[in-house]
Amino acid sequence: MPPFDPARAAEYPAVIGCDEVGRGALCGPVVVAAVWFDPTALPPEILGRLDDSKRVKQPLRETLAPLIRTHARVAVAAGSRALVDRLNVRGATLDAMARAVARLGLDAPVLVDGRDAIPGLGETCRAVIGGDRLVPQIAAASIVAKTLRDDLMRALARRHPHYAWDRNVGYGTAAHLSGLARLGRSPHHRISFTRSLGPGPRT
């Protein structure tokens, strides 16, 4: 059951919620969204369907993402494959989060899903473990980020069909690992994640 009750909208604060998608993938970027809205002004049919993107089925995510963009302030950023390899995935994620929040240009508290607050924001930023089930703006950010990243990985799958990214969106499924073992890395694979999984890079 979705965690946010439209009848309790006044109990949820008007904050910036920030979340990432793709941190555990073997390839592609980590994608971040930052979302602000006043829960009392968000249409209840949107608020009542928000949840952790992993718990929302793809058709509903694809319905909700453009509605969130219409009714909320949204900014996105990505940590590229190269940035993940250079900084590590945590550093690339926090870098992308800082850029996404800055692009909103809003003076509002920031709540981030997970254990890490965004460096440089001081007391205005707080990490919330399990935030995508507790803070509606974080849930909205997770849906926007997942929809965007999944679309990107499916587009890349048309150029690199041997890794089954159209189905696994870059995560380490058996089909993906089989492609890596047979063909090596593509230019989109994170070297730091796949160094021992196959030859490469492959163009």
Side-chain angles (χ1 to χ4, degrees):
M1 184 173 180
F4 305 108
D5 181 358
R8 299 174 53 210
E11 300 177 21
Y12 307 124
V15 297
I16 296 169
C18 196
D19 202 2
E20 56 76 26
V21 172
R23 189 162 173 163
L26 301 181
C27 59
V30 58
V31 174
V32 166
V35 175
W36 179 93
F37 56 78
D38 179 348
T40 63
L42 194 71
E45 61 270 21
I46 301 175
L47 182 62
R49 291 190 288 176
L50 296 178
D51 201 346
D52 173 1
S53 62
K54 295 185 290 297
R55 298 170 63 95
V56 179
K57 292 184 178 179
Q58 181 184 342
L60 181 54
R61 288 197 305 266
E62 293 178 351
T63 296
L64 287 173
L67 293 174
I68 293 166
R69 289 179 177 273
T70 297
H71 293 280
R73 295 279 294 272
V74 176
V76 297
S80 68
R81 186 280 307 165
L83 190 65
V84 170
D85 283 337
R86 181 162 61 86
L87 295 183
N88 69 44
V89 71
R90 176 179 176 273
T93 299
L94 292 173
D95 177 82
M97 285 181 168
R99 287 185 278 118
V101 170
R103 285 171 185 165
L104 280 181
L106 295 173
D107 184 15
V110 180
L111 299 180
V112 179
D113 184 51
R115 298 180 179 275
D116 293 317
I118 301 169
L121 296 186
E123 295 181 359
T124 65
C125 182
R126 184 165 58 90
V128 181
I129 296 173
D132 38 20
R133 297 277 292 174
L134 299 172
V135 180
Q137 293 89 344
I138 292 178
S142 75
I143 290 169
V144 170
K146 181 162 179 58
T147 303
L148 181 62
R149 189 182 185 280
D150 285 1
D151 286 348
L152 170 63
M153 294 309 300
R154 292 187 185 108
L156 289 174
R158 292 194 286 272
R159 286 190 280 166
H160 303 276
H162 306 290
Y163 305 104
W165 294 341
D166 55 322
R167 301 191 302 277
N168 61 51
V169 294
Y171 289 86
T173 64
H176 190 172
L177 295 176
S178 175
L180 269 169
R182 287 184 293 111
L183 301 169
R185 293 188 296 271
S186 75
H188 304 286
H189 279 98
R190 302 170 185 175
I191 296 170
S192 53
F193 279 52
T194 61
R195 189 172 283 113
S196 64
L197 298 179
R202 176 180 182 270
T203 56

